Amino acid sequence: MNELAPPAERTPVAFPLTRRAVIIFSLAATAIFALLAWTITVYFRKQSFYALFTTGQTFTAQIILGLLLGIIIAASVVLILLKASFLARLRDFIREILKQIRPTGFDMILVALLAGFGEELFFRALLQPMLGLWLTSLLFALAHTGVSLNPAKLAFAAFVFVMGLLLGTLFEQSGLIAVSVMHASYDLIFLFAVKRFLHTANH
């Protein structure tokens, strides 16, 4: 999902983070995910790579369903993030990240689209048929948070795990396009919302 993980301890941002680094990482990760998915699908499963995108409901139905779910979930998460008092520390952490990266509108659109395409291609279309819904969702959570006993990271991991279950179920019921659209639209709305309401809150 979004790349804004919760703070580790007292230091809001404990690693160097720049706009360029985020873009390069997003491009590299998506390229690796796509290459792995293509290689395994074509050479090991002996299936058409194109078929990954045409299986399931109609293209239009998947687009609409993905957009609706992405918008609804993102709006709910943003509302909770902005209003819940127990998330004040997380809001401060996000502000620090935004100060470091200073993302443009194009940056956020690019990162959201890359995450929606690359991560869903890898986790849902590639891993889920082999590992199943629950294990894939667990790996999806660990990929976003790492292994940690920190309460904030554990809470975030639980959230990403639930999102993984939702995305995985949508993939099984609708198709890859639907989950990619849902993931990308969620990330896009979340990123624009936190930049609008948190980054400008200090100005």
Side-chain angles (χ1 to χ4, degrees), residues 77-89:
V77 170
V78 169
L79 183 63
I80 294 172
L81 174 65
L82 296 177
K83 299 297 183 181
S85 58
F86 65 90
L87 294 177
R89 191 161 168 244

Side-chain angles (χ1 to χ4, degrees), residues 8 121 198:
L121 184 60
L198 293 182

Side-chain angles (χ1 to χ4, degrees), residues 10 96 98 113 129 148:
R10 298 180 61 86
E96 291 299 322
L98 291 172
L113 291 177
S148 174

Side-chain angles (χ1 to χ4, degrees), residues 92-110:
D92 292 338
F93 174 75
I94 293 174
R95 288 190 186 99
E96 291 299 322
I97 289 183
L98 291 172
K99 287 180 183 178
Q100 283 198 24
I101 300 177
R102 299 185 180 280
T104 65
F106 175 79
D107 296 338
M108 293 186 289
I109 292 172
L110 180 61

Side-chain angles (χ1 to χ4, degrees), residues 12-119:
V13 180
F15 51 88
L17 197 61
T18 65
R19 173 177 173 264
R20 182 180 180 184
V22 170
I23 296 299
I24 291 175
F25 175 81
S26 297
L27 288 169
T30 301
I32 292 171
F33 287 158
L35 181 61
L36 284 172
W38 180 81
T39 302
I40 293 176
T41 300
V42 174
Y43 289 100
F44 292 92
R45 294 181 180 172
K46 305 298 182 181
Q47 298 173 351
S48 167
F49 185 68
Y50 177 73
L52 295 177
F53 303 91
T54 58
T55 304
Q57 296 180 336
T58 65
F59 180 79
T60 302
Q62 291 196 52
I63 291 289
I64 293 174
L65 183 58
L67 279 174
L68 285 175
L69 288 173
I71 291 169
I72 292 171
I73 295 173
S76 302
V77 170
V78 169
L79 183 63
I80 294 172
L81 174 65
L82 296 177
K83 299 297 183 181
S85 58
F86 65 90
L87 294 177
R89 191 161 168 244
L90 178 57
R91 290 193 290 270
D92 292 338
F93 174 75
I94 293 174
R95 288 190 186 99
E96 291 299 322
I97 289 183
L98 291 172
K99 287 180 183 178
Q100 283 198 24
I101 300 177
R102 299 185 180 280
T104 65
F106 175 79
D107 296 338
M108 293 186 289
I109 292 172
L110 180 61
V111 169
L113 291 177
L114 289 173
F117 172 74
E119 291 184 20

